[in-house]
């Protein structure tokens, strides 16, 4: 819910600065390791968007995969969780380098 | 209106407020203070607007302000996080009893409802303020900034923030603390670090609590710590029991070292020109 309020604030600020009156689609990027349940986010989005400039807007969520850096192999690999071992050498743990982001990427507006 | 951030009304309450002060729109969170402009504009062309902005940027901005203020005053701030029922408040009162004679200490208590925890802390003789988050499941940096203001913290002191009992959301909300400290009691599952990896990854210290109960439980300490270090290899672990006092001295010493560093950093900041960036 807090995250979606953050989303709406960003959308409203942009509406003011860039002069648009209606949002058709909100494109978010929620990394696989962000610890956020995307379905819960969709639910909260509707609740927050109601009565706002984003009412009725579609929500498009991109989910970039988790990435981890292995200090032994000096390589980055995709990971499913924060505690996945390196798929190359089996070393635990990897330094998480991607997939934790939660961002508003773009808006389709008019 | 608040002179620090210009906020006005809301639902979340800081104890002592006659009127609700912190903004909260059903989620106990900071809400925009921007005033509405009335731009004259007709319906525009359909287009894509590129943004790339962090959903937590408002909280992070408040956290940055809090952190700067804490650093300037040499205040060592800990954000205590755990599941409900981990023994956080009891551990905190036992910590305060030991720490109080050595360093000034104050507490911010976060719960959805009641001032029970702040009352328990005040009974130890240290200042405490309760934030009720209402429906919100975590403290945010905006609420903490105002509560800290209210506490009027002395220079070179320790501020303990007891977050709402929840191992999920508080991991994402920076409050401006020096460290997150996660408390896991041995009456919980030993796989909690894997079930809630974000919190264990965000924390710098793990207090494995209620260890006096280990003889009566099947809790596998080594397994638990292995899980925790898989998520966070640099996690410092202290085994504690408020009942027997085990580990409390090590924990209090760790706080003292941190508080001393905060004091040294304040001194260094004073002797260098202020940053206006």
């Amino acid at each position: 819910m807090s995250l979606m309020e953050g989303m709406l604030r960003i959308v409203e600020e942009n509406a003011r600065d860039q002069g648009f009156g209606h949002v058709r689609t909100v494109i978010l990027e929620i990394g696989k390791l962000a610890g956020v349940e995307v379905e819960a986010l969709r639910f909260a989005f509707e609740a927050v968007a109601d009565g706002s400039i984003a009412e009725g807007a579609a929500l498009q969520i991109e989910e970039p995969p988790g990435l981890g850096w292995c200090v032994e192999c000096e390589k980055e690999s995709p990971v499913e969780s924060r505690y996945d071992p390196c798929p190359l050498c089996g070393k635990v743990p990897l330094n998480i380098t991607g997939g934790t982001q939660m961002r508003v990427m773009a808006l389709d507006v008019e | 209106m608040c002179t620090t951030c210009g906020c006005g009304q809301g639902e979340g309450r800081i104890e002592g407020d006659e009127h609700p002060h912190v903004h909260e729109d059903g989620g106990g969170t900071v809400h925009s203070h921007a005033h509405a402009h009335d731009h004259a504009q007709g319906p525009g062309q359909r287009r894509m607007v590129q943004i790339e902005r962090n959903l937590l940027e408002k909280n992070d901005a408040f956290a940055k302000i809090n952190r700067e203020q804490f650093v300037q005053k040499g205040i060592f701030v800990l954000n205590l996080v755990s599941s409900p029922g981990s023994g956080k408040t009891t551990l905190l009162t036992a910590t305060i009893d030991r720490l109080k004679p050595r360093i000034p200490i104050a507490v911010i208590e976060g719960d959805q409802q009641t001032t029970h925890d702040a009352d328990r802390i005040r009974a130890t003789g240290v200042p405490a303020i309760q934030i009720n988050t209402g429906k919100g499941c975590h403290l945010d940096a905006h609420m903490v900034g105002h509560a800290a203001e209210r506490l009027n913290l002395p220079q070179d002191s320790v501020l303990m923030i007891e977050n709402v009992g929840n191992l999920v959301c508080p991991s994402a909300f920076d409050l401006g603390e020096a460290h997150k400290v996660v408390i896991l009691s041995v009456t919980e599952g030993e796989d909690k670090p894997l079930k809630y990896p974000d919190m264990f990854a965000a924390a710098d210290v793990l207090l494995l609590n209620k260890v006096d109960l280990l003889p009566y439980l099947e809790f596998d300490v080594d397994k638990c710590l292995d899980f925790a270090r898989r998520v966070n290899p640099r996690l410092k672990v202290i085994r504690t029991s408020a009942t027997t006092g085990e580990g409390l001295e090590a924990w209090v010493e760790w706080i003292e070292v941190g508080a001393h560093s905060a004091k040294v950093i304040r001194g260094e900041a004073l002797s260098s020109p202020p940053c206006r960036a």
Side-chain angles (χ1 to χ4, degrees):
Chain A
M1 202 66 167
S2 314
L3 295 173
M4 287 300 91
E5 282 160 7
M7 177 279 304
L8 186 61
R9 190 181 48 72
I10 292 170
V11 170
E12 285 174 342
E13 277 180 20
N14 272 273
R16 213 166 47 232
D17 298 344
Q18 310 210 23
F20 55 82
H22 181 61
V23 181
R24 298 172 65 104
T25 310
V26 176
I27 303 172
L28 299 183
E29 185 182 62
I30 305 292
K32 287 270 191 199
L33 302 183
V36 174
E37 186 57 55
V38 167
E39 283 316 305
L41 218 50
R42 288 189 184 282
F43 181 78
F45 175 79
E46 280 186 33
V48 167
D50 236 19
S52 82
I53 188 174
E55 180 165 346
L59 181 63
Q60 187 181 320
I61 301 179
E62 292 165 5
E63 297 181 78
L67 293 172
W69 176 261
C70 176
V71 290
E72 298 287 313
C73 306
E74 298 189 341
K75 283 200 174 74
E76 197 171 53
S77 304
V79 290
E80 292 293 316
S81 72
R82 281 188 178 273
Y83 46 84
D84 275 3
C86 171
L88 303 170
C89 69
K91 184 179 152 64
V92 175
L94 298 172
N95 294 326
I96 299 302
T97 49
T100 60
Q101 62 271 57
M102 296 189 277
R103 296 189 291 183
V104 182
M105 295 304 285
L107 303 173
D108 179 3
V109 304
E110 57 190 359
Chain B
M1 187 204 274
C2 161
T3 52
T4 309
C5 62
C7 71
Q9 298 283 318
E11 193 188 309
R13 291 184 80 98
I14 296 177
E15 193 184 2
D17 269 353
E18 283 178 21
H19 60 87
H21 180 79
V22 177
H23 287 253
E24 194 229 312
D25 293 341
T29 57
V30 177
H31 188 62
S32 171
H33 306 313
H35 49 288
H37 289 278
D38 194 13
H39 286 281
Q41 62 194 27
Q45 290 274 314
R46 184 173 176 187
R47 63 190 193 273
M48 287 300 285
V49 179
Q50 297 300 321
I51 296 186
E52 294 194 32
R53 278 169 63 181
N54 188 339
L55 292 177
L56 290 168
E57 62 179 21
K58 194 81 179 176
N59 183 75
D60 291 347
F62 281 121
K64 186 165 178 273
I65 294 168
N66 290 352
R67 186 165 285 116
E68 282 166 0
Q69 289 177 349
F70 295 146
V71 168
Q72 275 169 18
K73 290 182 83 175
I75 301 167
F76 185 56
V77 184
L78 298 175
N79 177 1
L80 307 180
V81 291
S82 80
S83 309
S86 66
K88 217 162 44 237
T89 312
T90 305
L91 188 63
L92 189 52
T93 56
T95 305
I96 290 167
D97 287 339
R98 282 176 163 74
L99 200 58
K100 195 172 54 172
R102 312 185 207 178
I103 308 176
I105 180 168
V107 175
I108 294 173
E109 279 289 339
D111 281 301
Q112 290 194 316
Q113 298 293 340
T114 83
T115 60
H116 291 174
D117 281 0
D119 296 341
R120 281 173 70 186
I121 301 298
R122 279 192 285 263
T124 68
V126 306
I129 193 160
Q130 183 83 45
I131 300 175
N132 285 141
T133 55
K135 294 182 194 114
C137 56
H138 56 268
L139 292 176
D140 64 44
H142 180 236
M143 302 167 176
V144 165
H146 281 306
E149 214 169 63
R150 195 77 56 84
L151 280 168
N152 198 15
L153 302 159
Q155 191 167 286
D156 302 333
S157 59
V158 171
L159 172 64
M160 309 276 253
I161 304 168
E162 185 179 339
N163 216 318
V164 179
N166 174 359
L167 278 178
V168 186
C169 312
S171 70
F173 286 80
D174 183 5
L175 305 179
E177 71 273 2
H179 302 281
K180 282 191 176 71
V181 176
V182 61
I183 298 156
L184 177 64
S185 72
V186 297
T187 51
E188 302 171 54
E190 59 220 350
D191 56 353
K192 270 207 175 154
L194 297 187
K195 286 182 173 166
Y196 304 95
D198 298 319
M199 186 57 89
F200 288 83
D204 296 312
V205 180
L206 164 62
L207 300 181
L208 190 64
N209 198 28
K210 305 188 187 178
V211 288
D212 54 297
L213 297 177
L214 278 172
Y216 314 104
L217 302 167
E218 288 179 10
F219 188 92
D220 186 335
V221 172
D222 291 339
K223 203 162 151 189
C224 175
L225 298 186
D226 174 52
F227 288 153
R229 290 199 167 110
R230 266 197 230 177
V231 174
N232 182 351
R234 51 180 181 76
L235 193 65
K236 179 181 174 60
V237 179
I238 305 173
R239 302 176 192 208
T240 53
S241 163
T243 307
T244 64
E246 183 180 342
L248 291 187
E249 200 48 43
W251 162 231
V252 167
E253 276 173 19
W254 181 85
I255 298 172
E256 278 189 296
V257 169
H260 181 72
S261 303
K263 186 177 173 177
V264 170
I265 291 165
R266 174 185 63 79
E268 285 169 358
L270 274 182
S271 59
S272 58
C275 173
R276 299 279 177 207

Short mmCIF file of all heavy atoms in Angstrom, two decimals, chain B residues 4 15 52 124 126 172 176 200 206 237 245 251-252 267:
data_model
loop_
_atom_site.label_atom_id
_atom_site.label_comp_id
_atom_site.label_asym_id
_atom_site.label_seq_id
_atom_site.Cartn_x
_atom_site.Cartn_y
_atom_site.Cartn_z
N THR B 4 9.43 21.59 9.73
CA THR B 4 10.52 20.81 9.14
C THR B 4 10.19 20.37 7.72
O THR B 4 10.96 20.57 6.80
CB THR B 4 10.81 19.56 9.99
OG1 THR B 4 10.99 19.98 11.34
CG2 THR B 4 12.06 18.85 9.51
N GLU B 15 2.48 9.75 19.85
CA GLU B 15 1.97 9.97 21.19
C GLU B 15 2.24 11.41 21.61
O GLU B 15 3.33 11.93 21.42
CB GLU B 15 2.73 9.02 22.12
CG GLU B 15 2.16 8.88 23.47
CD GLU B 15 3.07 7.99 24.30
OE1 GLU B 15 4.11 7.56 23.79
OE2 GLU B 15 2.74 7.74 25.44
N GLU B 52 11.57 6.39 -14.37
CA GLU B 52 12.64 5.69 -13.64
C GLU B 52 12.88 6.30 -12.26
O GLU B 52 13.96 6.78 -11.95
CB GLU B 52 13.94 5.70 -14.45
CG GLU B 52 13.78 4.89 -15.72
CD GLU B 52 15.10 4.57 -16.39
OE1 GLU B 52 16.10 4.42 -15.67
OE2 GLU B 52 15.11 4.48 -17.63
N THR B 124 11.39 2.09 32.94
CA THR B 124 12.83 1.90 33.20
C THR B 124 13.51 3.23 33.48
O THR B 124 14.69 3.27 33.82
CB THR B 124 13.55 1.24 32.00
OG1 THR B 124 13.55 2.18 30.91
CG2 THR B 124 12.91 -0.05 31.57
N VAL B 126 13.80 5.83 31.21
CA VAL B 126 14.35 6.55 30.06
C VAL B 126 13.19 7.11 29.22
O VAL B 126 12.10 6.56 29.23
CB VAL B 126 15.28 5.67 29.18
CG1 VAL B 126 16.38 5.03 30.01
CG2 VAL B 126 14.50 4.63 28.40
N ALA B 172 12.41 -2.76 4.03
CA ALA B 172 12.56 -1.85 2.89
C ALA B 172 12.61 -0.39 3.31
O ALA B 172 13.01 0.46 2.53
CB ALA B 172 11.41 -2.06 1.91
N GLY B 176 16.89 6.00 8.76
CA GLY B 176 18.03 6.87 9.06
C GLY B 176 18.91 6.27 10.14
O GLY B 176 19.79 6.94 10.68
N PHE B 200 16.92 -10.33 6.88
CA PHE B 200 18.22 -10.79 7.36
C PHE B 200 19.35 -10.23 6.50
O PHE B 200 20.47 -10.07 6.97
CB PHE B 200 18.23 -12.32 7.44
CG PHE B 200 17.39 -12.82 8.58
CD1 PHE B 200 16.01 -12.98 8.42
CD2 PHE B 200 17.95 -13.09 9.82
CE1 PHE B 200 15.21 -13.39 9.48
CE2 PHE B 200 17.15 -13.51 10.88
CZ PHE B 200 15.77 -13.66 10.71
N LEU B 206 22.32 -9.91 14.31
CA LEU B 206 21.24 -10.84 14.67
C LEU B 206 21.36 -11.14 16.16
O LEU B 206 22.41 -11.61 16.62
CB LEU B 206 21.36 -12.13 13.87
CG LEU B 206 20.57 -13.34 14.38
CD1 LEU B 206 19.07 -13.09 14.38
CD2 LEU B 206 20.87 -14.59 13.54
N VAL B 237 26.42 -12.08 15.04
CA VAL B 237 25.42 -12.81 15.83
C VAL B 237 25.76 -12.73 17.32
O VAL B 237 26.90 -12.96 17.72
CB VAL B 237 25.36 -14.29 15.40
CG1 VAL B 237 24.35 -15.05 16.25
CG2 VAL B 237 25.03 -14.42 13.92
N GLY B 245 20.29 -13.18 31.38
CA GLY B 245 21.29 -12.13 31.17
C GLY B 245 22.39 -12.56 30.21
O GLY B 245 23.29 -11.78 29.90
N TRP B 251 26.28 -7.58 23.94
CA TRP B 251 25.37 -6.73 23.17
C TRP B 251 25.52 -5.26 23.58
O TRP B 251 25.66 -4.38 22.75
CB TRP B 251 23.95 -7.27 23.37
CG TRP B 251 22.76 -6.39 23.05
CD1 TRP B 251 21.70 -6.16 23.88
CD2 TRP B 251 22.46 -5.69 21.84
NE1 TRP B 251 20.78 -5.35 23.25
CE2 TRP B 251 21.22 -5.05 22.01
CE3 TRP B 251 23.13 -5.53 20.64
CZ2 TRP B 251 20.63 -4.26 21.03
CZ3 TRP B 251 22.54 -4.73 19.65
CH2 TRP B 251 21.31 -4.11 19.84
N VAL B 252 25.54 -5.03 24.88
CA VAL B 252 25.67 -3.66 25.37
C VAL B 252 27.04 -3.09 25.00
O VAL B 252 27.16 -1.91 24.62
CB VAL B 252 25.43 -3.61 26.90
CG1 VAL B 252 25.86 -2.28 27.49
CG2 VAL B 252 23.95 -3.86 27.19
N GLY B 267 32.55 14.66 16.08
CA GLY B 267 33.69 15.55 16.30
C GLY B 267 34.40 15.87 14.99
O GLY B 267 34.75 17.02 14.72
#
